[in-house]
Amino acid sequence: MNKITGVFTFLTVAAVCLTGSFNKVYAKRVGIESIKDTTVKAATIDTMRYDSLMKRLANGDKTGRWPVKKSPLPLPGAILPFNRIVAFYGNMYSKNMGVLGEYAPKVMLEKLKGEVKVWAAADTLTPVVPALHYICVTAQADAGRNGLHNLRMPFSQIDQVITMAKSINALVFLDIQVGFSTVQKELPLLEKYMKMPNVHLGIDPEFSMKEGSIPGKRIGTFDADDINYVTDYLKDIVKKNNLPPKIFVVHRFTKRMVTNYKDIKLRKEVQVVMDMDGWGGPDLKKGTYKYFISEEPVQFTGFKLFYKNDIKNVPHRMLTPKEVLALKPAPIYIQYQ
């Protein structure tokens, strides 16, 4: 009986090792072998510290919405709320979709490192982690060959972004604009990337055209069912590959962009960030955050800053980190476009 138990234990350990080896082999193939192995090794999470940080993020909120009461403790290795993420958003084929693709890689990465320092100085109690938030499926006005009004980026370019991120120890977010497709169809195509510990996910309801409108003509929508599909999918990947929790960013700036938010299911394997994605002057952005992010709590919050669009109208300035950090709750994910 003891021999049988010993063999079973050996096979179990071997299976875990092989899972970790797969991630390392794939990482080496795309040139990111030096990325830190963040597979789950710890058995517990510091619950007192976690609860304290979540309360700090609530920023003195008196409504009772924050921190979110239904939020589960994450698996060990969770990035949030122990760190703040500062991300550059965009696409390598376009200078107009965001700062990530607007500048040459070296210039862009130096700018990102500069913003990381700014946010680290603005909140000295929260370490800042850089990230590249790459739109790997872009919505298109033209139906295209697949008839889905989207364009999937080649894997070679995703690999390039991952390699760029490696050079500054940054996270990578792969962002999906489904067009006439669905997240149920698009996400599985990225599974090999989702198995990598430093790669996370974003979706953009603005370009989910369930009613058949051309992307860009009206604002799209995702329902809680779509979001729950994603968190369930990511949960399975995390469990099967012994990974730390995935971060899942959902962009939002209208009520209709996310329907039935109260039905969104939270899981210990996935950390959900509702990201305020609207542009405009300081007062408009604060109002958008209040009505569509703060008043409809899910788990964590994010805030997008636009280098160009935010300064178009009076008073022609972006919100400062100090002003953003004064919001209730304080965003833990910051994105620049």
Side-chain angles (χ1 to χ4, degrees):
M1 185 66 181
N2 290 336
K3 290 182 178 180
I4 293 174
T5 302
V7 170
F8 177 78
T9 302
F10 173 78
L11 290 175
T12 302
V13 172
V16 171
C17 293
L18 285 173
T19 300
S21 297
F22 174 82
N23 288 324
K24 293 176 183 178
V25 168
Y26 182 76
K28 188 172 183 179
R29 186 175 69 80
V30 298
I32 58 169
E33 60 271 24
S34 64
I35 281 184
K36 184 179 179 181
D37 181 6
T38 55
T39 50
V40 177
K41 295 180 178 63
T44 60
I45 192 167
D46 187 339
T47 57
M48 289 185 65
R49 182 171 177 236
Y50 178 86
D51 290 341
S52 174
L53 291 173
M54 293 298 283
K55 185 176 180 180
R56 182 171 180 263
L57 281 180
N59 224 5
D61 174 70
K62 301 298 184 183
T63 67
R65 300 187 186 98
W66 303 93
V68 176
K69 295 178 178 60
K70 65 177 181 178
S71 182
L73 283 172
L75 291 176
I79 294 172
L80 308 177
F82 306 101
N83 305 272
R84 176 168 283 108
I85 297 170
V86 173
F88 270 10
Y89 172 95
N91 179 276
M92 298 296 289
Y93 285 151
S94 173
K95 293 185 176 183
N96 298 320
M97 294 182 72
V99 62
L100 191 157
E102 184 176 358
Y103 300 97
K106 287 185 179 179
V107 175
M108 180 271 296
L109 293 173
E110 285 301 314
K111 287 181 176 291
L112 176 56
K113 289 192 289 185
E115 294 291 7
V116 165
K117 291 180 180 178
V118 168
W119 283 91
D123 178 6
T124 58
L125 297 179
T126 308
V128 181
V129 178
L132 299 182
H133 195 115
Y134 174 66
I135 315 167
C136 67
V137 181
T138 64
Q140 303 287 315
D142 185 79
R145 293 181 179 178
N146 61 14
L148 295 176
H149 286 270
N150 70 28
L151 181 62
R152 298 167 185 149
M153 299 299 105
F155 286 168
S156 60
Q157 193 175 107
I158 297 176
D159 293 342
Q160 180 184 349
V161 173
I162 291 173
T163 301
M164 288 166 52
K166 166 219 169 182
S167 70
I168 61 167
N169 294 317
L171 303 173
V172 171
F173 287 81
L174 298 182
D175 201 273
I176 301 173
Q177 300 175 352
V178 300
F180 279 24
S181 185
T182 64
V183 71
Q184 290 83 351
K185 182 179 293 184
E186 299 298 327
L187 179 53
L189 301 178
L190 301 172
E191 181 167 340
K192 68 178 182 180
Y193 294 107
M194 291 299 109
K195 290 179 179 179
M196 300 172 69
N198 279 27
V199 177
H200 303 272
L201 184 71
I203 61 171
D204 200 337
E206 179 182 0
F207 299 106
S208 171
M209 315 315 296
K210 292 178 181 289
E211 297 179 357
S213 300
I214 302 300
K217 296 296 184 183
R218 64 180 302 174
I219 305 300
T221 184
F222 276 130
D223 186 70
D225 285 344
D226 300 302
I227 293 171
N228 290 339
Y229 164 80
V230 173
T231 60
D232 188 58
Y233 188 96
L234 294 177
K235 175 201 71 176
D236 288 344
I237 287 180
V238 167
K239 292 175 70 174
K240 291 176 182 177
N241 296 277
N242 192 36
L243 298 173
K246 290 293 179 184
I247 301 172
F248 174 33
V249 175
V250 182
H251 303 297
R252 187 180 191 189
F253 57 88
T254 72
K255 189 175 186 66
R256 184 177 173 275
M257 283 175 71
V258 177
T259 54
N260 300 308
Y261 82 96
K262 290 182 179 180
D263 295 330
I264 293 173
K265 298 177 182 178
L266 300 180
R267 314 175 195 275
K268 62 183 179 180
E269 297 86 1
V270 183
Q271 300 191 289
V272 180
V273 176
M274 301 302 291
D275 179 44
M276 200 295 288
D277 193 29
W279 61 267
D283 289 341
L284 177 60
K285 292 178 74 80
K286 288 178 183 179
T288 302
Y289 184 84
K290 178 179 185 292
Y291 292 116
F292 307 123
I293 304 296
S294 179
E295 292 189 0
E296 296 199 353
V298 177
Q299 190 175 26
F300 296 96
T301 70
F303 201 92
K304 182 183 279 192
L305 294 163
F306 293 77
Y307 283 118
K308 297 177 180 178
N309 287 351
D310 281 355
I311 65 173
K312 283 184 177 181
N313 301 322
V314 176
H316 305 295
R317 71 173 182 85
M318 296 167 58
L319 284 164
T320 66
K322 182 179 179 180
E323 290 173 312
V324 174
L325 292 173
L327 296 170
K328 300 179 187 300
I332 197 67
Y333 172 87
I334 305 298
Q335 185 180 96
Y336 284 91
Q337 180 167 336

